[in-house]
Amino acid sequence: GAVVSQHPSWVICKSGTSVKIECRSLDFQATTMFWYRQFPKQSLMLMATSNEGSKATYEQGVEKDKFLINHASLTLSTLTVTSAHPEDSSFYICSAMLAGGPRREQFFGPGTRLTVL
Amino acid sequence: DAKTTQPNSMESNEEEPVHLPCNHSTISGTDYIHWYRQLPSQGPEYVIHGLTSNVNNRMASLAIAEDRKSSTLILHRATLRDAAVYYCILRDLGGGADGLTFGKGTHLIIQP
């Protein structure tokens, strides 16, 4: 149980276009989902916290108008990278927290590798 | 979240035990010690967590020092599939839901 999927697993796009990444909790409900970014040979950096039915909370230095997050249901959160540029190329990973879970364990998706040409 | 310190890398042989250390000298009384690992090109996965007592699960064991200022993740019999970056993370469960703060972790290399 506790499986999180991401789609697509990889995407290549031209500079200036927008890319949407989906994060789904397949077998549990998640009131809170998180989005992370990981550049090559670096650790994961938290970008934002996504709460179902409310606005996302962004970490310092993350542009909310560039990285649009929507958490419309208890099983789906989406991250849209708007007007993507080569410096946005990265590994984007989401995680979901089990609603009501006592340990607040986070279940991670497999990641989406974005390459902006 | 309080800071943790881990060695950058460790190397072990297949089918031997591996002890991955983590120092967290500024740990508070409400901090749980969590371990996650990230296999190459994958998202992290939960390994184990504990508060004060040693913990065992199907993946690993967690040994926590009596003063809680350090802990050790133990893989009893490493396989090539255990090659990953292991992250030791402190989580205060007294507050609301928040994201994880990943340090650099320990890159575990398993030799066949």
Side-chain angles (χ1 to χ4, degrees), chain B residues 16-81:
Chain B
E16 290 186 356
V18 179
H19 290 233
L20 298 167
C22 180
N23 288 320
H24 29 78
S25 59
T26 59
I27 190 171
S28 72
T30 55
D31 282 335
Y32 280 71
I33 302 159
H34 284 243
W35 284 81
Y36 283 77
R37 72 178 185 180
Q38 185 178 24
L39 279 64
S41 298
Q42 295 186 30
E45 64 174 338
Y46 167 84
V47 177
I48 200 167
H49 82 287
L51 182 62
T52 56
S53 303
N54 294 344
V55 184
N56 299 295
N57 66 20
R58 63 175 180 80
M59 290 181 69
S61 296
L62 177 60
I64 302 172
E66 195 170 335
D67 63 3
R68 297 205 331 121
K69 293 185 177 182
S70 66
S71 60
T72 302
L73 178 70
I74 302 167
L75 305 179
H76 295 286
R77 196 160 173 246
T79 69
L80 295 176
R81 289 177 296 178

Side-chain angles (χ1 to χ4, degrees), chain B residues 6-21:
Chain B
Q6 300 177 251
N8 289 333
S9 66
M10 290 185 65
E11 198 167 315
S12 181
N13 295 318
E14 197 175 9
E15 298 188 3
E16 290 186 356
V18 179
H19 290 233
L20 298 167

Side-chain angles (χ1 to χ4, degrees), chain A residues 32 34 36 38 42-46 49 51 59 91 93 97 102-111 113, chain B residues 34 36 38 41-46 49 87 91-105:
Chain A
T32 304
F34 303 92
Y36 297 82
Q38 185 174 34
Q42 294 187 24
S43 190
L44 283 80
M45 293 294 293
L46 178 66
T49 301
N51 292 300
E59 296 298 302
F91 193 45
I93 307 167
M97 184 175 291
R103 304 186 310 196
R104 291 169 57 212
E105 177 182 338
Q106 291 191 20
F107 301 93
F108 286 83
R113 190 162 301 282
Chain B
H34 284 243
Y36 283 77
Q38 185 178 24
S41 298
Q42 295 186 30
E45 64 174 338
Y46 167 84
H49 82 287
Y87 298 98
R91 303 289 312 284
D92 183 351
L93 294 191
D98 52 7
L100 296 176
T101 301
F102 286 84
K104 294 183 178 181

Side-chain angles (χ1 to χ4, degrees), chain A residues 15-64:
Chain A
S15 186
T17 60
S18 294
V19 175
K20 179 185 282 189
I21 302 170
E22 292 186 348
C23 176
R24 292 182 184 272
S25 56
L26 297 184
D27 51 3
F28 67 101
Q29 292 183 331
T31 53
T32 304
M33 290 184 171
F34 303 92
W35 288 95
Y36 297 82
R37 180 168 53 182
Q38 185 174 34
F39 293 108
K41 298 190 184 300
Q42 294 187 24
S43 190
L44 283 80
M45 293 294 293
L46 178 66
M47 298 176 66
T49 301
S50 171
N51 292 300
E52 186 264 338
S54 63
K55 291 184 178 181
T57 303
Y58 292 81
E59 296 298 302
Q60 191 172 10
V62 178
E63 299 176 57
K64 62 180 181 180

